[in-house]
Amino acid sequence: MKTRDVLRTVWEYGALTVACFIFGFAWECFMIPNGMSAGGMMGLCTIVQYATAGLIPAQYSYIAINALLIIVAVLAMGIGFGFKTIYCIIISTVAMELLSGWSFLHSVPGHFFFVKETILIPILAGVTEAVGIGVVLRYGGSTGGTDIVALMINKYWPVALSSAFLISDLVVISLLLFLPDKTFSDACYGLVEVVIFSMIIDFVVGGKKSSYQLMVFSDKHKEIADYITDVMSRGVTLLRAQGWYTKQDRNVLLILISQKEFPELSRVIKNIDPRAFMSVSPTNSVYGEGFDEIKAGIKKHRKKNGNE
């Protein structure tokens, strides 16, 4: 392995490590010390912690549930999760375990991060979590949780991934109301965190529900297209174009790809052809095979007595 590749790998895992600690900081230093919860897998784990009066800390149920989800997903879907996902789950668990014991970082009275205005706590947590998760996604990782659940739901039922994420978040927040010491106000704080997280992550990495449209100009378009179809199992369209200045015919690759796959593809294109020209456009509405289902409201006609 070249020195450049080694340094890049070290940099990526270093960034993932820092991002996991930022993610853990949002929960262990803002949300949990103030008895708050939100959506996603961590929201569910905090509810488990509150329901058991701290007997089962959130970080323990977090790694246990994620391990179970990965096993179920592999058995049900045959999908393989990269090492980065497993690494991020483990590091996030370690980070939360450490941060839970560092009380001087908790947002409670008498400490530096204490915030008197309660409504600001889920806002700060949402921003912090979005930064952490955004960096994780940018470097090709994942913290698991509802990402895995949404993928399994989308495979067996015609539900868009965006809808699956929204439904799972609302269900988790609703569970908080079943705890005797929690009120509707506590659920509202969770909704605030979810909304802030969704808004900020768009600025960090384009959003977990976003996709990208790429146009790649390269003399090595065949190698790039083969990687996309053979390794990434994505489609690619070859367009015939002509450079108006040179009057030379060129081949252009048109690619639609999910946000999580973009870091991998950009690295591959750079390795195959460092001189490649690439135009990237974010898009939030991509419908068809491999993306969201088309919702056209088509009515089905029943046949009666041989006539439609």
Side-chain angles (χ1 to χ4, degrees):
M1 184 179 293
K2 298 180 180 179
T3 303
R4 184 180 62 181
D5 295 334
V6 173
L7 293 177
R8 183 179 62 190
T9 300
V10 171
W11 171 263
E12 289 179 356
Y13 278 91
L16 289 173
T17 301
V18 173
C20 288
F21 271 83
I22 294 175
F23 165 71
F25 181 81
W27 285 95
E28 292 291 348
C29 298
F30 283 113
M31 297 294 283
I32 295 178
N34 290 280
M36 295 182 180
S37 184
M41 183 57 62
M42 270 307 301
L44 178 61
C45 294
T46 55
I47 293 175
V48 172
Q49 177 172 327
Y50 302 151
T52 60
L55 183 63
I56 303 178
Q59 60 269 26
Y60 295 164
S61 57
Y62 172 78
I63 193 169
I65 295 175
N66 269 309
L68 179 61
L69 283 175
I70 291 177
I71 294 173
V72 172
V74 170
L75 294 176
M77 304 174 62
I79 58 178
F81 294 92
F83 180 76
K84 285 183 178 179
T85 295
I86 299 175
Y87 176 82
C88 288
I89 292 173
I90 294 174
I91 295 300
S92 296
T93 304
V94 173
M96 287 186 287
E97 176 67 16
L98 293 175
L99 291 169
S100 66
W102 296 347
S103 59
F104 62 92
L105 293 177
H106 296 178
S107 180
V108 293
H111 294 290
F112 177 78
F113 288 103
F114 171 64
V115 179
K116 185 177 181 180
E117 295 76 10
T118 307
I119 188 61
L120 293 179
I121 294 173
I123 294 177
L124 292 171
V127 172
T128 307
E129 184 185 9
V131 172
I133 295 295
V135 174
V136 167
L137 294 177
R138 176 173 290 182
Y139 285 94
S142 171
T143 55
T146 51
D147 288 4
I148 303 174
V149 175
L151 288 172
M152 289 191 291
I153 292 175
N154 182 255
K155 180 176 178 66
Y156 292 103
W157 289 278
V159 178
L161 282 176
S162 56
S163 300
F165 282 120
L166 176 61
I167 293 171
S168 63
D169 285 344
L170 292 177
V171 169
V172 170
I173 293 174
S174 299
L175 291 176
L176 191 66
L177 298 175
F178 288 92
L179 300 182
D181 59 336
K182 298 299 179 183
T183 65
F184 180 71
S185 296
D186 296 304
C188 290
Y189 290 135
L191 287 174
V192 170
E193 201 274 351
V194 169
V195 171
I196 296 299
F197 171 84
S198 300
M199 293 173 59
I200 299 300
I201 201 170
D202 285 338
F203 293 97
V204 179
V205 76
K208 63 183 178 183
K209 308 176 188 70
S210 299
S211 301
Y212 290 107
Q213 177 178 284
L214 281 70
M215 297 188 71
V216 181
F217 302 77
S218 172
D219 293 331
K220 298 182 179 180
H221 60 276
K222 185 179 184 303
E223 292 90 333
I224 297 173
D226 287 342
Y227 183 91
I228 295 171
T229 56
D230 298 339
V231 179
M232 303 186 70
S233 299
R234 281 293 187 188
V236 58
T237 301
L238 182 66
L239 304 177
R240 303 293 184 182
Q242 183 184 69
W244 191 247
Y245 179 77
T246 62
K247 300 299 188 293
Q248 294 182 352
D249 293 333
R250 296 291 302 272
N251 292 309
V252 182
L253 299 179
L254 177 63
I255 309 158
L256 287 171
I257 197 167
S258 68
Q259 183 273 328
K260 291 182 180 179
E261 295 168 314
F262 175 70
E264 175 189 356
L265 179 58
S266 60
R267 287 194 296 269
V268 168
I269 292 175
K270 183 177 180 180
N271 289 334
I272 294 177
D273 184 7
R275 297 177 59 84
F277 180 83
M278 180 170 61
S279 172
V280 183
S281 300
T283 173
N284 292 317
S285 299
V286 181
Y287 302 100
E289 185 176 356
F291 294 92
D292 288 344
E293 183 189 15
I294 298 176
K295 309 291 184 181
I298 300 175
K299 296 181 179 180
K300 296 182 179 179
H301 300 279
R302 295 181 179 178
K303 293 183 179 181
K304 296 182 179 180
N305 299 325
N307 297 319
E308 293 187 2

